[in-house]
Amino acid sequence: MTTGRVPLPEHAPPPARVRVDSRVLINTGDGKGKSSAAFGVMARGWARGWRVGVVQFMKSGTWHAGEAKLAEHLGIDWWTLGDGFTWESTDLEESAAKNVHAWSVAREKLASGDYDLLILDELTYVVNYGWVPVADVVAGIGDRWAKTNVVITGRAAPPELVELADTVTEMTVVKHAFQRGIPARKGIEY
């Protein structure tokens, strides 16, 4: 009788453990759940007594996202500094300027020593649109306070960020409600 399970491949034993002061994680890909996974880490870090901050690129504050409400309730620092996704923008130059400003805020927070965890939500778009050079982002993350863990989200993470990261997860779409015309729902998407 088969169980339908695929056996796990044989793996080499893991390398010797290495202690690091902080990690960089990236959630990328076309699938749903990149930001949601990052906000799970946000909750986990807060529950461990970490000082946590979130810088949201691209997104505007008009959605009143549930995770922002949770962060406010928990006393987590939160900055939503974009003006909406590009397909919603009426002025792409203004969108670019807001996201460049968001990067300057993020870079200052990365170096400040004030955070054990910073989530840089939708950062990959800002790099991929050419608004902030990837070298500047790599330098900012590399120059962060040694104990600041970083989670970056967004589609199409550039190779330079993937190289820098300790853990990269790619979300893939198998099926999505949007494909059937079902709009975003409070509590599920935001």
Side-chain angles (χ1 to χ4, degrees):
M1 179 175 162
T2 47
T3 63
R5 295 184 184 168
V6 177
L8 294 174
E10 300 257 350
H11 293 286
R17 292 182 184 238
V18 176
R19 296 287 275 169
V20 295
D21 289 331
S22 64
R23 295 189 193 170
V24 176
L25 292 79
I26 297 177
N27 299 333
T28 193
D30 292 334
K32 179 187 173 349
K34 296 176 288 294
S35 296
S36 298
F39 299 135
V41 176
M42 174 190 82
R44 183 178 290 147
W46 177 87
R48 296 296 185 184
W50 285 7
R51 296 163 299 164
V52 179
V54 176
V55 178
Q56 280 193 312
F57 298 83
M58 306 301 292
K59 295 175 179 175
S60 70
T62 60
W63 275 49
H64 306 290
E67 54 269 19
K69 186 175 181 179
L70 174 64
E72 180 181 359
H73 178 74
L74 297 176
I76 291 171
D77 293 336
W78 189 285
W79 299 270
T80 299
L81 300 173
D83 63 350
F85 284 94
T86 53
W87 58 86
E88 300 171 335
S89 179
T90 57
D91 184 346
L92 284 177
E93 287 183 18
E94 180 180 347
S95 297
K98 286 185 176 196
N99 284 284
V100 168
H101 169 70
W103 171 245
S104 70
V105 170
R107 189 157 190 174
E108 182 237 315
K109 303 301 177 195
L110 285 163
S112 71
D114 292 339
Y115 297 95
D116 300 295
L117 173 64
L118 273 174
I119 296 172
L120 306 179
D121 188 39
E122 310 296 1
L123 175 61
T124 64
Y125 292 99
V126 176
V127 172
N128 290 332
Y129 291 154
W131 296 342
V132 175
V134 70
D136 288 357
V137 173
V138 168
I141 293 168
D143 293 342
R144 74 189 185 280
W145 182 56
K147 296 188 183 216
T148 298
N149 296 278
V150 180
V151 180
I152 298 167
T153 71
R155 295 175 186 231
E160 297 89 341
L161 291 180
V162 169
E163 179 65 29
L164 172 71
D166 298 294
T167 301
V168 178
T169 300
E170 184 172 0
M171 314 300 198
T172 58
V173 176
V174 174
K175 181 179 180 180
H176 200 298
F178 291 169
Q179 295 166 328
R180 294 185 16 232
I182 299 171
R185 174 176 245 166
K186 285 183 181 180
I188 300 294
E189 279 82 24
Y190 65 99

